């Protein structure tokens, strides 16, 4: 299985770059699963339904988040509703969303992904 990891997608310019370059890059490297850090995709802090839609429409299969993922009011609801969006796995029980998932990749393969972030102080959610 070929995995393609995309670093921090920051704001609208980052989303535009992913939209413009990912489809061809995915074909070129024959990526079966694309994982992008999207925690700063909404104006540099957090995620929104629009940013998740932009990234997944461009071909991102899994969107990871760190401590900045919580910076929009929609984040808790979005994390619960969107299985392709991962929060850090080391957040306490009861935190919105999930920190790991199993995803179908191109060609029928399945891949598991765990999002771990070392946060010595976990923010109140």
């Amino acid at each position: 299985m070929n995995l393609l990891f995309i670093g921090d997608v920051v704001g609208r310019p980052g989303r535009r770059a992913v939209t413009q370059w990912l489809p061809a890059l995915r074909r070129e490297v024959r990526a079966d699963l694309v994982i992008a850090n999207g925690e700063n995709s909404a104006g540099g802090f957090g995620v929104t339904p629009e940013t998740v839609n932009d990234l997944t429409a461009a071909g991102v299969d899994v969107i990871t988040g760190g401590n900045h993922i919580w910076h929009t009011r929609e984040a808790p609801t979005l994390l619960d509703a969107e299985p392709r969006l991962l929060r850090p796995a080391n957040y306490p029980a009861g935190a919105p969303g999930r920190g790991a998932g199993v995803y179908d990749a191109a060609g029928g393969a399945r891949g598991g992904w765990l999002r771990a972030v070392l946060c010595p102080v976990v923010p109140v959610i």
Side-chain angles (χ1 to χ4, degrees):
M1 179 184 307
N2 291 330
L3 302 177
L4 175 60
F5 295 93
I6 300 173
D8 208 351
V9 177
V10 180
R12 190 179 314 265
R15 295 192 322 271
R16 265 196 308 252
V18 169
T19 299
Q20 180 178 354
W21 295 102
L22 180 57
L25 180 60
R26 185 173 191 155
R27 284 189 305 275
E28 180 182 330
V29 301
R30 295 184 178 107
D32 297 309
L33 193 69
V34 177
I35 302 162
N37 182 318
E39 70 173 318
N40 293 311
S41 60
F45 291 100
V47 293
T48 64
E50 177 188 2
T51 64
V52 170
N53 288 337
D54 287 351
L55 294 174
T56 56
V60 173
D61 299 303
V62 180
I63 302 167
T64 64
N67 60 324
H68 295 165
I69 203 164
W70 309 103
H71 286 270
T72 61
R73 69 179 179 275
E74 303 100 333
T77 303
L78 191 54
L79 281 159
D80 279 337
E82 178 52 71
R84 296 170 295 184
L85 180 61
L86 297 179
R87 62 156 166 79
N90 57 338
Y91 272 62
R98 65 209 52 76
V102 176
Y103 302 94
D104 293 325
R110 299 194 89 197
W113 186 250
L114 169 73
R115 174 62 174 148
V117 165
L118 179 58
C119 291
V121 178
V122 177
V124 176
I125 336 179

